[in-house]
Amino acid sequence: MADSWDMSFLIDQATRIHEARGNFGKHLGKPMRGLVGDHLISFVAQEDRLLFLRFMARLLLGSGGTTATARIHTPIIGEKVFALDAQTSARPKTWWLMLSASNLRGYQPLSAQVSNDPLATGDEFGQLARSAARRGGGKLDVTLFHSNAVAERSFGKMTKERRAELDQKIGDALIHSSDTGIVTKPEEGQYAVVHGAGVSAEQMSERIIAAASEMNVSAEELGLSRTTQALEENIEAEEITRMIRGMRQKLAERTDDPVIGTVSFAANEDAEKKGLLKTLLSKIQK
C-alpha cells in the first residue's frame, strides 16, 4: 500500500467524479468545479480505458481486486503511471479512488487484475454496458449478432477447429470495429456488442463478413443475422440482461425460418422489412 496519495476521487461505476481531493490541479490541470461531473475515464490513457472499466465493473460485482496501476494522460503531465487503490464509500455504488505516482511497489497493472479474455463475461457485460450508457447519454446501441456457421447451423460442413477459428475472427472483428470494445458471447455463435454512432451495425456486419471471407467462408455459410436495440441512459444491468434475452429470442425466431436464416438484418425494423422483402422477391423471380 502506498504511504501517501497524490489525489483521490469519489467516483461511481460510470467513473463520474462526485468529489476530488489532493493535487488534482497539478496533475489533471482542472479546478474542482471543472472536475465534478466529469468522468475520470477521460484522463485514463486510451490503451487502459477498457481495462479500467472492467476493473470498475468487477468492484461492483465483488469479483476482482481493489488495487492496480493505470496510465493517466493529460496535457499537464503527458502520460504517467499511477497506483490505484479503490476504497468503498458511505454512498451506495461509489468508491474513493486513491492515486499515487510516488510508490508503485506491490501494485500490478490493470491487465493482471482483469481477465485476459477480451470478451466480457455476462455479468461484466451488463455492468460495462450500464456504465457506457450513462457516459453516452442515451446515444448507444446494443447489437446482437448470430452466425449459423459457429452455432453449427450452417448449410456447409465445418470442422471443430475451423469453427473455433471463425469464432475467434468474429470476436476480434467486433472488438476492433466497435467504438467501445465492449463485447460478450451470450452463447456459442452469438455476440452482443455496445456501439455508438461512430460505427453502425451494418459496418460491423461487413467486418464480420470480410473476416469470414479470409477463411473462404461464404456469406451463405456464415449465416449472419442481427438485431439492434437502443441502450437507454439510465438502464440497469439487470435490464440489460433481460434485453439481451429478448434479443436472443428474436433472432431465434428468425433463424428458424430457412428463407431468412442467412440474411444480415438491418439495425431498425423498417430497414429489416425492406431487406426481407427484397430477399423474398429475389427468390420468387428465380
Side-chain angles (χ1 to χ4, degrees):
M1 302 293 289
D3 296 324
S4 61
W5 303 100
D6 292 289
M7 49 187 171
S8 59
F9 303 94
L10 180 65
I11 62 174
D12 56 29
Q13 194 221 335
T15 80
R16 183 178 288 107
I17 298 171
H18 296 265
E19 292 183 40
R21 298 175 183 173
N23 296 322
F24 49 82
K26 171 185 174 182
H27 293 291
L28 303 187
K30 279 192 173 185
M32 173 75 80
R33 64 178 179 276
L35 280 175
V36 173
D38 203 351
H39 291 87
L40 187 60
I41 191 67
S42 64
F43 299 104
V44 177
Q46 188 68 42
E47 296 81 1
D48 278 357
R49 287 187 181 181
L50 184 56
L51 291 172
F52 183 78
L53 292 173
R54 293 180 78 170
F55 175 78
M56 294 302 300
R58 286 172 175 245
L59 280 177
L60 186 60
L61 295 168
S63 60
T66 59
T67 63
T69 64
R71 291 169 291 179
I72 304 297
H73 183 87
T74 73
I76 302 296
I77 63 173
E79 186 173 294
K80 194 170 186 177
V81 177
F82 281 81
L84 312 178
D85 190 347
Q87 301 176 8
T88 55
S89 79
R91 301 186 191 180
K93 298 182 180 180
T94 61
W95 295 265
W96 277 104
L97 193 65
M98 326 294 288
L99 285 80
S100 173
S102 59
N103 188 355
L104 307 179
R105 186 178 303 170
Y107 289 80
Q108 294 183 313
L110 284 167
S111 57
Q113 297 290 355
V114 300
S115 171
N116 290 326
D117 189 344
L119 297 179
T121 65
D123 287 341
E124 254 189 344
F125 181 81
Q127 298 299 338
L128 288 170
R130 173 185 181 273
S131 176
R134 279 157 172 71
R135 295 194 310 278
K139 297 179 180 179
L140 297 177
D141 293 325
V142 174
T143 295
L144 179 67
F145 293 91
H146 175 94
S147 166
N148 283 343
V150 179
E152 301 187 62
R153 298 184 59 176
S154 173
F155 295 122
K157 293 183 178 180
M158 190 174 291
T159 64
K160 180 179 179 181
E161 292 74 20
R162 188 168 168 80
R163 188 176 294 111
E165 183 182 355
L166 178 59
D167 178 49
Q168 180 72 46
K169 277 187 170 292
I170 292 174
D172 288 345
L174 289 174
I175 289 168
H176 291 109
S177 64
S178 164
D179 45 4
T180 70
I182 302 173
V183 184
T184 192
K185 282 176 57 177
E187 68 175 34
E188 202 66 24
Q190 292 188 348
Y191 314 83
V193 54
V194 177
H195 59 100
V199 56
S200 68
E202 178 63 30
Q203 289 172 317
M204 288 187 287
S205 293
E206 291 170 356
R207 293 285 187 92
I208 293 172
I209 292 169
S213 69
E214 294 174 2
M215 296 178 55
N216 295 318
V217 176
S218 68
E220 182 181 35
E221 186 179 9
L222 178 64
L224 188 66
S225 57
R226 72 173 188 263
T227 184
T228 297
Q229 191 163 327
L231 194 60
E232 300 295 335
E233 180 178 1
N234 294 317
I235 194 169
E236 294 295 332
E238 296 78 8
E239 295 176 87
I240 293 170
T241 299
R242 290 193 293 271
M243 182 176 76
I244 295 296
R245 190 181 303 126
M247 295 170 77
R248 290 174 63 190
Q249 180 60 38
K250 189 175 184 180
L251 280 187
E253 292 169 356
R254 290 172 175 172
T255 53
D256 281 341
D257 187 331
V259 173
I260 64 175
T262 60
V263 175
S264 181
F265 284 89
N268 60 71
E269 293 302 322
D270 288 340
E272 288 177 1
K273 290 174 183 177
K274 291 177 183 178
L276 176 57
L277 179 58
K278 183 178 178 181
T279 301
L280 293 172
L281 286 174
S282 68
K283 290 181 176 291
I284 292 170
Q285 292 168 357
K286 288 182 180 179

